[in-house]
Amino acid sequence: MEEEPPEEDILSILVATDNHVGYLEKDPIRGDDSFNTFEEILQHAHREEVDMILLGGDLFHENKPSRQSIHRVTTLLREYCFGDKPVEVEFLSDQKENFHTGQFNTVNYEDPNLNVAIPVYSIHGNHDDPAGRTGLCALDLLSASGVINYFGKSNSLEEIIISPLLMRKGNTKLAIYGLGSIRDERLHRLFINKKVKCTRPDQDRDEWFNIFVIHQNRVKRGKSETSFIPEEVLPEFIDLIIWGHEHDCQTILKNNSVLNAYVLQPGSSVATSLSEGETEPKHCFKIQIYKKNFNKQDIPLTTVRPFLFKTVSLIDDSTEKEVNK
């Protein structure tokens, strides 16, 4: 941010994606890793006194998390996100439209039965996506219990209409567009056929800072040309894209010149695959927004188990000589 804004106009968000809580939870050595790092993320949010937490999908590793995973996540969210600190962000959009998946169609910090200090907003990922006859997922359980605000769920496979979460803090106006994970080929086709539409505020459209949270393949997988979502198909008015699903943490913002938007790829908070991208240092991020400007603070995660990756070439001369011996 170029100018020094008034504190009461700065809206701060702690951003994380792909926590994969419950990964290897039965492992006697690594079983607590995902829980420890998720708690560290919440501790950072509490210490930094952010206005909200924004999660980009795959909070849980399993589609049907264990009772231990659900219990520990619920306990941690209540411990760090409930309290007497007033939420200074005004919620402006139609909450019944934003939170249409359950019986309680209100943002949790406006529920008179709850005492929320840091609201948590989350979309679902491909690991914890809705399934079954009722189309429920683990986030629906957390939403019904009042510890998170679950958004970004689409019930249609023919056309997707995304209504933003509209908020205001002082003179800063924020619109958050969320889209939970959908099969990449299907979503790619919907974007190409212009069947994904985003509604915008009726007034002062140019004064809103627009964030799009997505959980999809960002790069091509295999031979299919529709196995990922190109950045360029996203709405042109977006200012910041938060990209979940990709596990390598990229601390440098990418500027998409076509959209004139920045892309932040937070990566996962626990390594779940033997890939080189998982060796990058893990972070969560603090985003501070003032009107149409923002800055980013990288917060290293210190509880992540070190992961080393080394490639051994069997056709290397020295290696071949050792083998021949």
Side-chain angles (χ1 to χ4, degrees):
M1 287 181 282
E2 298 179 357
E3 55 182 310
E4 189 65 32
E7 188 68 29
E8 60 270 17
D9 290 339
I10 300 175
L11 199 157
S12 59
I13 309 173
L14 189 112
V15 176
T17 68
D18 296 270
N19 309 113
H20 287 273
V21 173
Y23 177 69
L24 292 182
E25 62 181 321
K26 295 182 179 180
D27 188 288
I29 296 176
R30 301 168 61 186
D32 287 330
D33 285 5
S34 63
F35 299 102
N36 292 339
T37 304
F38 183 63
E39 181 174 14
E40 182 188 356
I41 291 169
L42 297 180
Q43 288 173 341
H44 285 304
H46 191 269
R47 188 179 303 114
E48 295 288 338
E49 296 185 332
V50 296
D51 292 304
M52 67 185 73
I53 298 172
L54 183 58
L55 303 178
D58 280 355
L59 170 58
F60 292 100
H61 183 68
E62 299 292 343
N63 186 267
K64 297 180 180 178
S66 67
R67 283 174 288 185
Q68 175 187 227
S69 292
I70 294 176
H71 179 265
R72 291 183 69 172
V73 167
T74 304
T75 301
L76 289 171
L77 289 170
R78 288 195 59 176
E79 179 179 356
Y80 292 101
C81 299
F82 278 36
D84 295 327
K85 183 177 79 72
V87 177
E88 299 176 346
V89 177
E90 182 182 3
F91 204 96
L92 302 175
S93 53
D94 184 351
Q95 298 182 30
K96 290 184 179 180
E97 190 172 355
N98 294 144
F99 310 115
H100 58 82
T101 60
Q103 180 179 349
F104 306 104
N105 307 123
T106 57
V107 66
N108 64 350
Y109 67 86
E110 291 187 359
D111 189 325
N113 299 309
L114 301 173
N115 203 26
V116 177
I118 306 176
V120 180
Y121 301 90
S122 181
I123 63 172
H124 66 259
N126 59 305
H127 277 253
D128 50 14
D129 59 329
R133 182 180 60 84
T134 57
L136 295 175
C137 65
L139 296 186
D140 285 296
L141 301 180
L142 299 184
S143 177
S145 63
V147 293
I148 70 161
N149 300 289
Y150 172 33
F151 73 111
K153 180 179 179 179
S154 175
N155 295 322
S156 173
L157 299 178
E158 303 299 326
E159 183 179 48
I160 298 174
I161 299 177
I162 306 174
S163 299
L165 313 181
L166 301 180
M167 311 174 196
R168 178 172 59 203
K169 183 179 181 183
N171 292 314
T172 297
K173 299 176 182 178
L174 173 65
I176 302 179
Y177 296 82
L179 182 59
S181 178
I182 298 175
R183 188 168 173 238
D184 288 285
E185 288 79 5
R186 176 179 290 126
L187 184 58
H188 187 283
R189 182 173 64 251
L190 291 173
F191 268 117
I192 296 302
N193 294 331
K194 301 188 183 303
K195 294 295 184 179
V196 181
K197 301 175 183 177
C198 296
T199 63
R200 300 189 66 183
D202 295 328
Q203 299 179 344
D204 306 320
R205 289 187 173 185
D206 295 335
E207 296 182 5
W208 293 82
F209 187 88
N210 301 288
I211 294 178
F212 198 104
V213 192
I214 189 171
H215 190 100
Q216 303 290 154
N217 286 337
R218 188 179 172 191
V219 295
K220 181 180 176 182
R221 299 288 202 277
K223 297 181 179 180
S224 174
E225 297 295 331
T226 61
S227 63
F228 72 109
I229 306 301
E231 296 171 8
E232 290 73 22
V233 301
L234 298 181
E236 294 182 354
F237 61 84
I238 297 299
D239 300 295
L240 175 64
I241 303 166
I242 296 174
W243 208 292
H245 185 61
E246 303 290 355
H247 277 209
D248 47 320
C249 177
Q250 298 181 1
T251 57
I252 299 177
L253 288 169
K254 177 193 172 184
N255 178 249
N256 187 302
S257 58
V258 176
L259 296 176
N260 193 27
Y262 288 95
V263 183
L264 172 62
Q265 182 175 303
S268 65
S269 57
V270 62
T272 63
S273 62
L274 298 177
S275 63
E276 191 169 3
E278 295 275 26
T279 65
E280 297 293 333
K282 305 290 189 182
H283 295 75
C284 59
F285 300 88
K286 180 181 178 181
I287 305 295
Q288 291 183 299
I289 303 168
Y290 172 63
K291 295 184 178 180
K292 291 291 287 185
N293 302 308
F294 80 101
N295 61 29
K296 173 181 67 71
Q297 175 187 343
D298 304 346
I299 304 177
L301 296 173
T302 60
T303 57
V304 177
R305 187 178 298 274
F307 176 46
L308 303 178
F309 186 94
K310 185 177 182 180
T311 301
V312 178
S313 175
L314 297 180
I315 62 173
D316 181 75
D317 289 341
S318 59
T319 306
E320 187 177 2
K321 292 177 183 178
E322 290 295 324
V323 173
N324 291 334
K325 287 181 181 179

